[in-house]
Amino acid sequence: MKPRHFLTLLDLSPQELDLLIDRAMELKQMHKQGVIHEPLKNKVLAMIFEKSSTRTRVSFEAGMAQLGGSSIFLSPRDTQLGRGEPIEDSARVLAQMVDVVMIRTFGHDTVERFAQYSDVPVINALTDDFHPCQLIADMQAYREVRGSIKGKTVSWIGDGNNMCNSYINAARQFDFQLRIACPEGFEPRADLVATNQERVVITRSLEEAVAGSHLVVTDVWASMGQEEEAKARMQAFAGYQVSPALMDLADPEALFMHCLPAHRGEEISHDMLDDPRSVVWEEAGNRMHAQKALLEFLLSH
Ligand code: CP
Ligand code: NVA
């Protein structure tokens, strides 16, 4: 039987995603109460990181340990992947030894090719195009604080990057409206915008995007792999900053999220993370709970 993979939010149905968030909240409570829950005893997760990470690595590694399993950190620097062993071969080899594989890489086609050749579930832990693990944590954080996001309005401010693309998928799967404010030339993937026209609008105006919104989200101006463009991007994105004053235009109950790491003075003002509307620390913590629910799900299907 072919395993289930999690390469984008579209790999799970809206119902499955809802249940996943319920389960993530349950696992979070159990963790807080010190309940030992080890359904993945003797299971092993391989974690391939071709880009840096703090949250993703720690959340998967800690989560897997709490579920009774273990994990192996693999970087291209010291594996044959870095010396050109084909993805297709690596996928077939790892599936002989581990139960689930997590990959953070550049091109999205890398995780697609890996998954195609893998007999065990593959999780996308960030590609140039998508970051679905962050979205399940974000959706959990919204539900915990404000309840269902269905029918609400979310504003994305800044780069039409992997996080923005994932918010478009989330708008579809969790049924909300998405207003994206980005500079010209930095739009999200055109195919995603085209297939979600009834939920997604693009504007150049931050104020227009944020007016009356229930959740405001942003991310860095230059993502991993875009280091050489960083200077040009500073200019292109000047002014695309979320601040408490901008948040005042949103709904009085609006929340602020950022996948982190954040650059104060660029996409956010220096005081934004400390604003009472910011839930970034809970959001970051939820990475672990949401991914534990995901690991349970993928290893039971
Ligand atoms: N948000 C996120 O994925 O963080 P890391 O890059 O630290 O994993
Ligand atoms: N857009 C950012 C997200 C980091 C978690 C990047 O890809 O670097």
Side-chain angles (χ1 to χ4, degrees):
M1 204 178 72
K2 275 271 159 212
R4 296 286 298 268
H5 301 299
F6 187 62
L7 308 188
T8 76
L9 285 178
L10 305 186
D11 286 330
L12 267 63
S13 70
Q15 293 73 20
E16 286 172 333
L17 286 168
D18 265 342
L19 290 174
L20 190 85
I21 306 295
D22 286 346
R23 182 63 180 154
M25 289 166 70
E26 220 166 70
L27 289 170
K28 185 172 180 174
Q29 283 315 315
M30 285 160 63
H31 179 66
K32 276 191 182 158
Q33 290 158 5
V35 176
I36 305 291
H37 173 64
E38 299 184 323
L40 303 189
K41 211 162 171 54
N42 295 321
K43 301 286 185 195
V44 180
L45 164 72
M47 307 191 298
I48 300 172
F49 280 99
E50 299 198 309
K51 289 176 175 171
S52 305
S53 167
T54 298
R55 279 145 289 268
T56 304
R57 179 176 178 181
V58 175
S59 56
F60 268 109
E61 216 166 310
M64 201 60 194
Q66 289 164 19
L67 292 170
S70 58
S71 43
I72 304 171
F73 174 81
L74 300 165
S75 101
R77 272 187 301 281
D78 38 40
T79 60
Q80 302 291 2
L81 273 167
R83 296 181 59 250
E85 182 167 15
I87 287 292
E88 294 79 358
D89 296 357
S90 309
R92 284 176 285 193
V93 169
L94 286 187
Q96 304 280 328
M97 305 176 199
V98 304
D99 303 280
V100 50
V101 179
M102 182 234 84
I103 310 177
R104 168 168 285 197
T105 188
F106 293 86
H108 190 70
D109 63 306
T110 302
V111 292
E112 288 179 337
R113 273 162 51 218
F114 198 104
Q116 197 187 333
Y117 285 87
S118 175
D119 284 337
V120 300
V122 175
I123 299 172
N124 173 8
L126 184 146
T127 61
D128 291 344
D129 283 7
F130 296 104
H131 194 7
C133 289
Q134 184 67 52
L135 262 291
I136 52 175
D138 288 19
M139 293 299 102
Q140 181 187 348
Y142 190 88
R143 191 182 301 174
E144 282 171 345
V145 185
R146 293 284 183 258
S148 174
I149 199 162
K150 190 178 162 77
K152 304 276 189 207
T153 298
V154 177
S155 315
W156 175 269
I157 306 298
D159 194 12
N161 63 12
N162 44 11
M163 278 296 299
C164 182
N165 289 333
S166 297
Y167 260 91
I168 297 179
N169 280 343
R172 184 183 192 90
Q173 300 295 70
F174 291 90
D175 196 9
F176 58 78
Q177 296 293 315
L178 181 63
R179 292 195 212 127
I180 299 165
C182 63
E184 217 174 321
F186 295 93
E187 289 84 6
R189 261 174 52 166
D191 58 325
L192 292 175
V193 177
T195 49
N196 292 285
Q197 274 174 7
E198 69 289 0
R199 321 183 166 277
V200 178
V201 290
I202 297 184
T203 167
R204 307 293 165 218
S205 157
L206 284 75
E207 291 76 14
E208 205 178 287
V210 167
S213 164
H214 303 99
L215 170 63
V216 179
V217 195
T218 190
D219 188 13
V220 289
W221 291 343
S223 285
M224 289 182 277
Q226 297 173 331
E227 288 76 11
E228 282 174 12
E229 296 170 34
K231 225 172 140 198
R233 283 173 166 267
M234 292 303 131
Q235 285 173 1
F237 285 94
Y240 279 82
Q241 184 181 84
V242 181
S243 62
L246 184 72
M247 290 295 297
D248 288 344
L249 303 177
D251 186 88
E253 296 273 274
L255 299 178
F256 170 75
M257 293 190 199
H258 188 312
C259 64
L260 305 178
H263 291 186
R264 291 171 176 83
E266 294 178 19
E267 78 278 3
I268 52 160
S269 61
H270 284 273
D271 50 357
M272 192 58 236
L273 298 188
D274 302 313
D275 187 274
R277 291 164 287 194
S278 164
V279 292
V280 294
W281 312 124
E282 284 288 312
E283 177 191 5
N286 282 350
R287 289 293 303 278
M288 184 176 80
H289 308 295
Q291 288 159 198
K292 282 170 74 177
L294 178 68
L295 288 163
E296 266 191 357
F297 175 88
L298 293 175
L299 289 172
S300 64
H301 277 79

